[in-house]
Amino acid sequence: MKNFKYIILLILIVNLVASCNDFLDEEPSKSTATVPDKLEHLEALLNNYGEFYSEPASELIFSTDDYGFITDLYDASTSSYSLTSLQYGTWDKEYLPNTNRPYWPREWEKIFTANLVMQNLGSVAGEDTEKKQIKAEAHFIRAYSYFQLANIYCLPYTEGNKQELGLPIKETTSFEESMERVSLEDTWKFIESDLNKALELTRSFTQVNDLNRTWRASTAAVNGFAARYYLALNDYEKAQSYAQEALNEYDFLRDYNTDMSFSNAPTQVTIFNPEPTQVSIDFPYTHDSQEADLMLAWGESYYFRALSNGSWKYWPSEELLSLYNQTYDLRFKYHMVEGYSYEQANAVDPPYNYPGYVFFHRSDILSGPSVPEMLLILAECQVRTGAYTQGIQTINQLRASRMDASAPSEIINLSAASQAEALVKVLEERRREMPFVHRWYDIRRYNNNEDSSDDVVVTRTFYPYNGSSILGAETPVNFSLEKNSRRYANPLPDTDIIASDNVLKQNTY
């Protein structure tokens, strides 16, 4: 474990630069190892968006009812699903701790970087005003990563769960700092303390060379994260206030009627039906580039983060697909790619057509705070606090940019005759707008608020499995994640527990 930690330290130090060249005039370059003794060295660490933006969180991708485990798709091609994806998708606690650890270390590396920046601020040359901005930004990064980890590896924060296991508190780069997990209550207090320090940031939401500077923190980004944080705690007044603050600063929405299109290079696939037939698969234009420029140019984000699926397979569940107006909803038109199973599962002989969700390339979906998310938070909070008519009006601002302008007005605009009806419609819109990315967080909070009408029990019917394979020849079985399941805390990697000499404790089930 110590060797692993020193490797992380070496990587971070190697990424320091002798002089800071920001992305598009600010992008950091690599150099030989150096000790951070200038403010620009710390700036270079924070400008290294490649370290920060990716969130390869299988726990978020596969675990919710947005992701479809379809027996017919598996029957058509066993490459449709990996064993690991099914383990995440059925909330396994036996095999996953020994399988891999892709996401757990990623956020700890970001926390390490934030701590490295804060630890060295006092000893580097630079203006005090800029140091204060960087310090606030480092607190933001640390709060953001702790929020991610707490929502994936700990139980939901409730009065009854306060003394359950939280996370280790890491405030320095010392490898001797304890790995013991503090209580869930102390973990959330730590996140809120960092958030409050992050809110001292005064750097406005700005552009560099016609791109929003979303790879660095801004007042809008911090307010957006604060809205997300308080929504997770079901504090609707604070969540609404921070969402409005973010929108007051920046409220651009991409109009799918004019600013969205298909790729100029559709993919050609041969299927056998039974004779060979050429099929064209249309991808959104956002599929065409794996470079960050396209994601940064999207324009709706406050902070550049992306959920990343290395398998390139976001199979939408049949339940998720049913939520879209498949005639007029342009999100369905552009992001639900018909024939995706031909290409990504090789389900061509005989052909089996199942759509895949595609946003950027095949792997990434923007997950940082954004204008659409703030509108959805604002609308939900308005509805939950009684102003349901206003909440419907807010959600229709978003729909105006997502629905086909030729649709009847009653299709474009939602309406509701009661608070309960408005809540259903707003939560469905949230799911249509941000599939896969927020659903895990949402189910956790729905099941632990004062309103039982939005409770969710996730169920699946799929093939059983063992530690080495999916048992596709056996009869499908039912899997379910009950409302109060302890499996809402994902298991920690056993390798890290062993490396800590068992100071780091595993979740109990």
Side-chain angles (χ1 to χ4, degrees):
M1 183 63 173
K2 285 188 176 181
N3 287 339
F4 173 73
K5 291 173 178 175
Y6 289 128
I7 289 171
I8 294 175
L9 178 61
L10 178 61
I11 291 171
L12 289 170
I13 296 300
V14 167
N15 279 332
L16 288 172
V17 294
S19 63
C20 178
N21 298 308
D22 288 339
F23 177 75
L24 300 177
D25 292 333
E26 296 187 43
E27 184 174 16
S29 61
K30 294 182 178 180
S31 75
T32 56
T34 183
V35 176
D37 59 3
K38 298 179 182 178
L39 196 60
E40 59 206 49
H41 292 163
L42 304 183
E43 288 273 12
L45 282 174
L46 297 179
N47 278 324
N48 184 14
Y49 64 83
E51 178 193 350
F52 291 108
Y53 90 88
S54 181
E55 296 174 353
S58 296
E59 298 89 343
L60 302 181
I61 296 165
F62 303 112
S63 296
T64 78
D65 47 6
D66 279 355
Y67 198 92
F69 283 88
I70 315 296
T71 53
D72 287 348
L73 178 56
Y74 183 81
D75 292 342
S77 173
T78 58
S79 66
S80 303
Y81 301 101
S82 68
L83 175 61
T84 304
S85 70
L86 182 58
Q87 289 169 343
Y88 281 112
T90 57
W91 320 287
D92 175 76
K93 51 186 182 289
E94 179 180 1
Y95 301 114
L96 276 180
N98 301 304
T99 301
N100 52 24
R101 52 194 297 276
Y103 191 60
W104 171 261
R106 288 298 296 268
E107 294 305 315
W108 285 113
E109 290 170 21
K110 297 168 191 177
I111 290 168
F112 184 97
T113 303
N115 287 339
L116 182 67
V117 168
M118 286 189 275
Q119 185 173 295
N120 285 278
L121 267 174
S123 59
V124 300
E127 295 291 331
D128 286 344
T129 53
E130 185 55 28
K131 285 185 179 183
K132 289 179 180 178
Q133 296 299 299
I134 291 175
K135 184 178 181 181
E137 184 173 4
H139 280 291
F140 169 66
I141 291 168
R142 192 167 71 184
Y144 197 106
S145 290
Y146 262 96
F147 180 86
Q148 296 288 104
L149 292 168
N151 274 286
I152 292 175
Y153 300 104
C154 304
L155 290 172
Y157 182 59
T158 66
E159 191 65 33
N161 287 344
K162 282 184 176 181
Q163 297 311 309
E164 294 281 355
L165 287 174
L167 298 167
I169 298 299
K170 293 288 190 179
E171 298 185 82
T172 73
T173 59
S174 171
F175 300 138
E176 305 307 317
E177 199 170 11
S178 176
M179 287 296 292
E180 185 175 357
R181 298 173 69 177
V182 302
S183 70
L184 190 59
E185 180 177 23
D186 286 343
T187 299
W188 282 82
K189 283 182 178 178
F190 184 68
I191 298 171
E192 188 165 32
S193 174
D194 267 348
L195 172 57
N196 287 331
K197 293 169 184 173
L199 287 166
E200 296 175 9
L201 188 76
T202 58
R203 184 191 298 137
S204 299
F205 190 78
T206 57
Q207 288 190 327
V208 174
N209 291 359
D210 297 324
L211 291 184
N212 291 336
R213 195 174 184 262
T214 55
W215 62 92
R216 294 292 297 272
S218 65
T219 48
V222 178
N223 282 323
F225 172 66
R228 183 185 295 184
Y229 172 86
Y230 286 110
L231 185 70
L233 296 180
N234 302 310
D235 188 335
Y236 305 121
E237 291 186 3
K238 283 188 177 180
Q240 178 176 338
S241 175
Y242 284 114
Q244 188 64 66
E245 285 292 326
L247 290 167
N248 287 346
E249 185 167 357
Y250 183 79
D251 63 357
F252 170 80
L253 283 173
R254 181 170 290 273
D255 188 342
Y256 274 43
N257 286 278
T258 57
D259 301 330
M260 196 65 175
S261 61
F262 286 115
S263 167
N264 291 323
T267 298
Q268 301 297 319
V269 176
T270 301
I271 65 173
F272 297 86
N273 198 27
E275 299 300 318
T277 304
Q278 283 287 105
V279 174
S280 179
I281 302 175
D282 288 321
F283 287 91
Y285 86 92
T286 52
H287 158 270
D288 290 352
S289 174
Q290 290 181 274
E291 301 301 320
D293 299 39
L294 190 62
M295 290 187 274
L296 289 167
W298 182 249
E300 294 183 341
S301 295
Y302 294 117
Y303 186 56
F304 180 31
R305 287 282 189 116
L307 184 66
S308 182
N309 183 359
S311 75
W312 292 4
K313 297 181 181 76
Y314 289 102
W315 302 122
S317 67
E318 293 170 333
E319 179 185 346
L320 177 62
L321 290 171
S322 71
L323 292 176
Y324 292 89
N325 183 310
Q326 299 184 12
T327 302
Y328 293 114
D329 196 323
L330 299 179
R331 292 166 296 193
F332 182 87
K333 175 180 178 178
Y334 289 113
H335 295 306
M336 296 299 179
V337 176
E338 292 294 331
Y340 196 68
S341 56
Y342 298 153
E343 186 201 41
Q344 281 303 308
N346 197 33
V348 296
D349 189 13
Y352 184 82
N353 185 348
Y354 198 83
Y357 186 86
V358 174
F359 206 105
F360 287 106
H361 194 55
R362 294 167 174 82
S363 57
D364 294 331
I365 309 174
L366 289 178
S367 59
S370 65
V371 173
E373 184 189 359
M374 293 307 107
L375 286 171
L376 289 159
I377 290 176
L378 182 61
E380 181 180 341
C381 292
Q382 288 168 333
V383 171
R384 289 192 187 272
T385 55
Y388 73 86
T389 301
Q390 190 175 357
I392 291 294
Q393 291 172 352
T394 299
I395 212 67
N396 285 337
Q397 294 177 43
L398 174 62
R399 286 178 65 83
S401 69
R402 300 302 196 243
M403 304 298 290
D404 192 319
S406 67
S409 60
E410 63 270 19
I411 298 293
I412 297 174
N413 296 304
L414 297 177
S415 61
S418 67
Q419 182 179 10
E421 184 184 3
L423 181 62
V424 169
K425 292 191 174 184
V426 167
L427 297 188
E428 287 179 347
E429 190 68 20
R430 180 176 174 88
R431 200 170 167 190
R432 284 188 286 265
E433 178 67 23
M434 302 185 297
F436 304 104
V437 173
H438 290 281
R439 185 62 176 168
W440 178 257
Y441 306 133
D442 288 343
I443 294 173
R444 284 166 59 96
R445 64 187 179 86
Y446 296 161
N447 287 344
N448 291 282
N449 60 21
E450 295 180 354
D451 184 352
S452 62
S453 71
D454 57 10
D455 290 356
V456 178
V457 174
V458 186
T459 60
R460 306 193 189 286
T461 300
F462 201 74
Y463 295 112
Y465 59 89
N466 57 30
S468 59
S469 62
I470 298 173
L471 306 177
E474 296 191 9
T475 302
V477 297
N478 296 322
F479 301 91
S480 64
L481 183 65
E482 300 295 332
K483 173 181 175 179
N484 294 316
S485 173
R486 294 189 66 83
R487 187 49 186 77
Y488 274 104
N490 279 271
L492 276 56
D494 278 345
T495 51
D496 289 41
I497 293 171
I498 294 168
S500 73
D501 294 328
N502 292 310
V503 173
L504 183 67
K505 298 299 182 185
Q506 183 60 276
N507 292 317
T508 57
Y509 301 104

